[in-house]
Amino acid sequence: MNSYNHKAIEAKWRSYWEETQAHTVTMDPDKPKFYCLDMFPYPSGAGLHVGHWRGYVLSDVWSRYKKLQGYNVLHPMGWDAFGLPAENDAIKKGIHPTVSTASNVATFKRQLHEIGAMYDWTREVNTTDPGYYKWTQWIFVQMYKRGLAYRKEMPINFCPSCQTGLANEEVVQGACERCGTPVEKRHLMQWMLRITKYADRLLEGLKTLDWPEKVVKMQEAWIGRSEGAEVVFAIDGADEQITVFTTRPDTLFGATYMVLAPEHELVSKITTPEQKEDVEKYVKQAMSKSSVERMANKEKTGVFTGAYGINPVNGKRIPIWVGDYVLIDYGSGAIMAVPAHDERDYEFAQKFALPIIPVIAEKDGTVPDLPFVIDGVLINSGPFDGMDSENAKKAITEHLQKKGQGRASVQYKMRDWVFSRQRYWGEPIPIVHCPKCGEVPVPEDQLPVTLPDVENYQPTGTGESPLAAITEWVNTTCPKCGGPAKRETNTMPQWAGSCWYFLRYADPDNDTALADPEKLAYWLPVDLYVGGIEHAVLHLLYSRFYIKFLYDIGVVDFDEPFVRLFNQGMVTKDGAKMSKSKGNVVNPDELVEHYGADSLRIYELFIGPPEVDSEWMDNGIEGVYRFIQRVWNLVVRSLKNMPEPTLASEKLRHRLIATVTERIESFKLNTVVSAFMEYVNQLGQTVDRQSLETLVILLAPLAPHLAEELWQLLGHKPSVFDARWPQADPAMLVADQVTVAIQVNGRTRGTVDVPADAAQEDVMNAAAAITSVKNALEGKEILKTIYVPGKILNLVVK
RNA sequence: GCCGGGGUGGCGGAAUAGGUAGACGCUACGGACUUAAAAUCCGUUGGGCGUUUCGCCCGUGCGGGUUCGAUUCCCGCCUCCGGCACCA
């Protein structure tokens, strides 16, 4: 008997697929499409480990499953190749990023080939390819023209290690998301994208998506929509006024002081001469604090400005303070403080002995312990007394509106996107600065603005990009007036290229458009997107923003890019994420060599629920390898002496179809594998042809090489992927014999096998024969009998 | 602090419109085959106890509750992981 030889089989089918271009797909309006996408990787020098495999196997299983169901499946792969590691390598080793990127891509590609996935490599994209980033720049120009990209000098988060500005989304607990270095505040002239203009649509769109609840929640929290009111306070004895945002206009009568952020422009204007020295000292100190320091120290600090605001509802004079617990970039950078009903204000008022006036009571009218931060009934609020919070919010807002001293307002936590990076290895921002014309976008027919070769990649650390030093590149002519001008030297963040790459796969070589609209209309949007949870609010939010913009300008006809999202769990080793520095990386190459790609693919699925982190066990793959051999041997043995199908084998076969289909659909891929194992364990030494063919087709998404070989052994012409996914016959799924558990007082005493339609008495009679049941019933009286057909018979006795 | 998700054998994990807890696999142990080993195959494998072809008790983080019956539902805790964190 010939035995399973994974090396020969996998090599054979890999070259078959290549020779027949089995994975090259073309648009076919007569066939339904399925777009199954992996988050494209950054091709690092380290190569792939078994953790990377997990997501790629998952998406390939789905791609092949859909293909077997007759879909025209787009399953592409490419490279998110701009980024700091290549640039840092260039600095350290003097290798041009283009060179190291090319070599890393080659390594990655070789390793990806090992998976045996059905990637259509003719559609490969690379974000660093000028033919690609031409369109990344083109999108930026469109945004610029519509006022969505703008330049502004402002304090931003700056990573001193990466030597570049960061977006808010790239700061995690006060540190750089990439390298963990605490970020600093720097005043820099920055390119910004007006993502906040899309805040509401980004929030609304989430409701339409088939995404993990967790990611939806994270994006909702990040966007952070709050409804409330703007309230205008006059300043006593001055011509200025202060606008505040509050979500609790119902507590307005309880406002006993106001606070301005240290950066607020009115601070210097309203401070009285007596308070000037203290205030200036405080402001200076507050501004010098890093965001980490500001976050670490939650002790309230502040200084009185000497000025007073006038509460628009009751005319009360209340002191205006400066305090760094008020943030300049949220709302208006100023608050009304209601210490009775806000924990932070309460703490501040306690510390500085400011008055605390309760204006909200419990629903039943009792005055609660302070601070009382939830809704209730108004007290001490003049004409609004007795009104509940919900109504009072509306009533007070309306009242203010009539007086011209306020209005309903919505605020978001999300800020505009800091888009410039002071680094070399990214897309140049296609803007020219002309002394006469100002900022001028590079005309579309002059794109791409390509990266020049440089000698020194070292970031300047001054907030200028290394590109600024290349005078022959920087000096250019103004596209408008033809006069001398300078190029923008900031580059785009890595996210820019990944915001829209999935569009390019539809038409990767198009030189006249981002992609042919007809092809976009056919292939997009992405039906299933598979990747890690780490991009929950970065890439996935930015992409959604880009697509909404491209929808608005008519480039695409959909406004959500990813219909369904699946986040695969991490593969851990010794309880930790795999990393070179921890030395716990499991290399797939050796496993493929020893057990084959099919075994590793199945083990990646079998390791645990795909959405959950799972611990790698070196022995685990052994069991899968044995299973594959059992399948192989079953087919080979059966071919020598093929039995006829029986009712029993047909029932098992249909049950398998139903179970596997159901479990793939619900992403319970670990239990798909166990379903196959159970099935094979139930069979005898040989089984009929029909059963074998079904088994091979069902197994094909998981173990494509094995399935192709067995399909051929069974006498078919390749490929097994030309076959169709079988349908389970509902009639064959009905069991005629069932096992019923017998319980006495809810405790299981044994089981009986009876026909599915057995009457209660028959089950009862069979149960009475069981020793342990007899024991338990001995001398007792049966009070009640619960019979659930096919499940249990419970006897309640006393 | 707030929000979300978990805690089941030696291990990875099954099973929740309430119905035989531990499927499947790993490990370990025993056996068959072999000169021997590897591979393969067969058996046992949650804990405890007994009168051991059988039977009893305990057992899904902890404590209560609902129910004929709870890993599943409810209440109160402990604990781990992830996200956010002075956003008014």
Side-chain angles (χ1 to χ4, degrees), chain A residues 357-465:
Chain A
I357 303 171
V359 291
I360 305 288
E362 305 257 20
K363 294 254 146 104
D364 63 10
T366 55
V367 178
D369 290 341
L370 300 181
F372 179 71
V373 299
I374 58 171
D375 283 4
V377 176
L378 272 71
I379 54 171
N380 298 328
S381 298
F384 301 97
D385 278 354
M387 202 178 264
D388 64 48
S389 290
E390 200 184 326
N391 288 314
K393 283 175 190 171
K394 286 182 212 147
I396 292 177
T397 305
E398 273 168 35
H399 172 75
L400 290 168
Q401 175 123 33
K402 274 184 205 144
K403 290 177 65 183
Q405 289 190 288
R407 59 192 175 95
S409 170
V410 175
Q411 294 291 325
Y412 300 91
K413 287 187 196 172
M414 185 170 68
R415 311 288 146 83
D416 274 347
W417 178 5
V418 176
F419 199 67
S420 6
R421 297 293 177 273
Q422 295 75 47
R423 298 289 304 218
Y424 170 74
W425 191 230
E427 303 87 346
I429 290 177
I431 295 285
V432 169
H433 300 282
C434 171
K436 276 192 215 154
C437 311
E439 289 166 2
V440 180
V442 174
E444 289 158 31
D445 59 8
Q446 289 174 33
L447 295 175
V449 176
T450 51
L451 273 173
D453 279 336
V454 295
E455 309 256 303
N456 189 8
Y457 306 96
Q458 194 75 45
T460 60
T462 61
E464 266 203 302
S465 149

